[in-house]
Amino acid sequence: GAGPGDPGLLTVRGRQLLETAEVVVYDHLIGPQLLALCDAQARRVYVGKSADERSTSQQRINRLLVRLARQGRQVVRLKGGDPFVFGRGGEEVLALAQSRIPFEVVPGVSSAVAVPAYAGIPVTHRGLASSVTFFTGHEDPGKRDSSIDWAALARSPGTLVCLMAVGRLPGIIARLRQEGRLDSTPCALIERGTWPQQRTLTGTLGTMAASARHARVQAPAILVIGNVVRLRPQVRWAEQRPLFGRRVLITRAMEKGSQLAEQLMALGADVTALPTVVLRPVPLTARTRAALAQIPQTDWVFFTSAEGIVWLQDVLRRVRKDVRWLKGCHLAAIGPKTALSLRRLGLQVDFTPRRYQQEGVLKDLPRQRLQGKRAMLFNAAGSRDVLEQGLRRLGMQVTRVPVYRTLMPRALQARVAAACAISWDAVTATSASSAEHLYQALPKRKRRDFKRLPFVSIGPITSAAVRARGGRVVAQAKQATMEGLVEALCRYLK
Ligand code: SAH
């Protein structure tokens, strides 16, 4: 079970299996962010069906699963919501059982409960509803020998939740009214629940069919009928989030656990990632080797990015050393994230400035006793030399050692023009190079689109890089951190 849409609603077990699957067979409501959890080598097989699915296609899926499993592959069958709730997961595992193929069933968060929850509707509630009935709207309510007992549904005092509600909505409502359910019964119709595009219509059994037609509600949607709908005005939360439905382009990788993407999604944003920067190792030159040999005689070591220490370790490994080589050096980090990546290695950080940029380091560094001391900077090739020059002016002997390079990802060129043509609510810029690469990757005749993008930048240096290319900075973080950026974004989009 993949859950109802919000990628955060995948279970831990579901995630583990996705990450290790060799083949993933998935349906049409599965979002790209879940598929991104799969291993890059994993084969992805789309078997989406439209609303008028035919049983033959289900049989094809069953056969496909058996065939893949017989090839000895680790197969994940990824289905929306819970696999056994109107998901035909039962048929699929029966086919596997008949073929003696071992399987495991991982339940998912069903849209039947999660979608109402995201609309602020508890499906049961003391005093309002002590039962809930889930039923499919797929069946023709006019049919004589229906497998749904419409009279019983209409009489039930509890909540009714109808899945696959869109196609036959007027018929379903008419039938329930005909069987005696009151016109005044509260109703909610929730389209694309848990997604950033979630839309909720409320009304009564008497008004809902007309409202749904008017609003052109489309699948997937869920109809909730009953008094619990009255709780929505107090309980609604998802649509109230500060970035709900806002389309935000982030110009960095949506790597696993990408803090920025996760924070923005938790605030309700519709996040798309367009990685503009990849990090690569540098060649190990004689100069670098000589510099590394000097580490034990160094008084202060400066890190200007969280990545610096990661790549320094890579370089040290190549000369058969490790972080113990930094023993005795004072360590300075440009900001909290850099400090954290040092502390994670068990290293104590001796200095972090108040403003998280190279200028801030120079301003706050305890100036006494720096004269004549040795400093070493580990950073990206081609990065700004403000700190290097400033430390020299303070009388330090400075060695700068590039430990990684930032490059433009090859895939950027293919995607950039289409991405820049979209009208985003905000585009995040988290480094000068991300803005630079975005601009450079655009074909010349499309560069005008760059000027239209509403950039939210992490700090003054990045803002300057955006503006230098004619770009527009609509907001800038007060502190140069991801939290600062998120805060600036919320402020701007409020
Ligand atoms: N196994 C799935 C249901 C599959 S039937 C589950 O447990 O959620 C498909 C129906 O589920 C859709 O027609 C719709 O009624 C409902 N559905 C699934 N995802 C939804 C979503 N994000 N918003 C609203 N309805 C959804």
Side-chain angles (χ1 to χ4, degrees), residues 256-457:
K256 285 175 197 161
S258 155
Q259 223 192 348
L260 182 60
E262 269 171 21
Q263 285 184 25
L264 296 177
M265 287 192 287
L267 294 168
D270 185 0
V271 179
T272 304
L274 181 69
T276 51
V277 174
V278 277
L279 307 187
R280 288 282 173 267
V282 286
L284 191 59
T285 60
R287 257 179 90 169
T288 305
R289 281 174 189 278
L292 295 175
Q294 291 297 312
I295 290 178
Q297 283 82 49
T298 304
D299 303 289
W300 277 92
V301 171
F302 293 88
F303 292 95
T304 51
S305 70
E307 288 79 20
I309 182 67
V310 177
W311 290 97
L312 172 60
Q313 289 182 90
D314 175 67
V315 170
L316 285 174
R317 207 165 15 243
R318 283 144 75 191
V319 297
R320 316 189 114 262
K321 294 254 182 300
D322 57 38
V323 289
R324 287 173 297 176
W325 197 236
L326 295 168
K327 162 175 173 284
C329 305
H330 290 99
L331 301 183
I334 197 163
K337 202 166 158 208
T338 306
L340 183 65
S341 67
L342 289 164
R343 278 202 303 274
R344 284 214 176 111
L345 298 167
L347 299 169
Q348 186 71 38
V349 179
D350 303 292
F351 171 81
T352 320
R354 274 172 300 179
R355 284 198 71 82
Y356 310 142
Q357 55 187 59
Q358 298 188 26
E359 290 80 355
V361 178
L362 288 171
K363 191 150 170 277
D364 295 348
L365 208 59
R367 282 154 186 265
Q368 328 79 336
R369 303 198 304 261
L370 291 182
Q371 183 78 37
K373 293 281 162 69
R374 290 168 189 253
M376 207 170 291
L377 270 63
F378 294 109
N379 54 16
S383 52
R384 294 193 311 140
D385 63 356
V386 170
L387 182 58
E388 183 184 354
Q389 301 302 343
L391 294 175
R392 289 229 164 85
R393 278 197 300 277
L394 292 177
M396 297 189 91
Q397 298 177 41
V398 188
T399 313
R400 194 171 92 90
V401 187
V403 285
Y404 65 98
R405 308 175 284 157
T406 59
L407 298 180
M408 197 188 285
R410 220 173 272 146
L412 180 61
Q413 232 118 27
R415 289 183 58 201
V416 70
C420 289
I422 291 171
S423 62
W424 302 98
D425 290 308
V427 179
T428 66
T430 38
S431 68
S433 55
S434 63
E436 248 168 64
H437 290 178
L438 193 65
Y439 184 79
Q440 280 166 16
L442 270 173
K444 285 216 170 59
R445 62 202 156 72
K446 297 275 181 183
R447 293 219 167 130
R448 250 183 310 155
D449 287 345
F450 185 85
K451 301 192 169 82
R452 281 200 286 269
L453 300 174
F455 280 103
V456 177
S457 116

Side-chain angles (χ1 to χ4, degrees), residues 4 29 80-83 85-87 109-112 115 162-165 190-195 220-222:
L29 284 176
D82 180 275
V85 177
F86 300 124
V109 174
S110 177
S111 64
V115 167
C162 178
L163 281 79
M164 297 170 269
I190 308 138
E191 179 188 68
R192 277 198 95 77
T194 80
W195 294 88
I222 278 182

